[in-house]
Amino acid sequence: MGSAPVSRAEQRRRTQDRILAAARRLFAEHGYDRTTIRAIATEAKTDPGLIMRYFESKEKLFARVAVVDRHEPLGGTPEQVAELLLAALSAKITAEPVDALAALRSMFAHPEAAKEVREAMLAEQRQAAEVIPEEDADLRTGLIGALTLGTVIARYLLGLDGLRDAPPDRIIALLRPSFHSIVHGDPEPDPRERSQGDR
């Protein structure tokens, strides 16, 4: 008895997955400039026209690869949101994110690619802001993004002392109070103001 026929939607999903996997490999190995749509199509065993139909441009495909998809949708209490964001950071610093780092290197040299990555990151930031119902949610999700990106860059691209070789659990433990404070919107009072009030 033969296997059930694959639906058109499933065929499309499989093709997109092959394209994304091929793009990740080639962008990581050759960088943005030297990776062509034709090379990605050959690697993915598909047609270049399909890549353009699904992803519109090389820049948009690069952005899909560069911005790591969140495995779990954001939602829940502020505590749960903070822990989901910490888990996402933990995944990035536990195993070196080769694709994302290759993308970051390319971004510095190719403004057109950087623009698309920025748009994709902003979309993620807006999604996070929707579950933090406060007037400065954009600011706070932006700070979380900056902490995440800065930690990854400092650990892998800059190799800063201490951070480069620190156990991921230790890094997350030190950042946990900051993530929770930012998500909750509970800033620490300025100690100068406190000392003036004590006079």
Side-chain angles (χ1 to χ4, degrees):
M1 187 173 177
S3 58
V6 178
S7 69
R8 186 165 297 193
E10 178 62 17
Q11 286 178 345
R12 176 182 173 128
R13 188 191 65 76
R14 290 180 184 179
T15 302
Q16 288 179 331
D17 286 347
R18 286 203 316 276
I19 291 168
L20 288 169
R24 284 190 188 96
R25 282 195 297 274
L26 294 178
F27 281 132
E29 288 174 18
H30 305 296
Y32 176 83
D33 210 24
R34 291 185 296 150
T35 299
T36 64
I37 291 292
R38 187 169 295 280
I40 294 169
T42 300
E43 178 87 2
K45 297 180 174 56
T46 191
D47 185 81
L50 266 184
I51 296 179
M52 299 305 286
R53 194 166 92 196
Y54 292 154
F55 298 99
E56 297 182 33
S57 68
K58 177 179 165 180
E59 293 84 1
K60 282 183 166 48
L61 175 58
F62 178 78
R64 263 299 284 281
V65 170
V67 179
V68 180
D69 291 333
R70 201 181 303 285
H71 295 298
E72 284 188 71
L74 275 178
T77 66
E79 288 79 11
Q80 290 168 329
V81 169
E83 288 301 319
L84 284 171
L85 293 167
L86 283 164
L89 173 56
S90 179
K92 291 178 178 70
I93 60 174
T94 298
E96 183 172 352
V98 176
D99 307 328
L101 291 171
L104 285 169
R105 291 187 186 99
S106 294
M107 280 173 60
F108 294 126
H110 302 283
E112 69 277 18
K115 176 179 177 292
E116 292 297 340
V117 173
R118 179 178 179 275
E119 287 301 317
M121 292 181 76
L122 283 173
E124 280 201 343
Q125 182 181 337
R126 283 190 284 270
Q127 180 198 353
E130 287 175 3
V131 298
I132 303 177
E134 296 290 340
E135 59 183 24
D136 62 350
D138 286 341
L139 168 61
R140 288 187 284 131
T141 54
L143 287 170
I144 292 285
L147 281 172
T148 299
L149 194 58
T151 301
V152 171
I153 289 173
R155 182 173 173 86
Y156 292 115
L157 291 186
L158 302 179
L160 294 187
D161 288 349
L163 183 57
R164 178 184 57 216
D165 301 315
D169 289 350
R170 178 63 176 155
I171 296 170
I172 296 302
L174 288 169
L175 285 173
R176 179 166 278 113
S178 298
F179 270 57
H180 277 271
S181 177
I182 292 169
V183 169
H184 279 83
D186 298 328
E188 188 70 21
D190 188 330
R192 293 170 300 180
E193 294 176 2
R194 193 184 306 155
S195 62
Q196 288 171 356
D198 292 340
R199 289 177 185 172

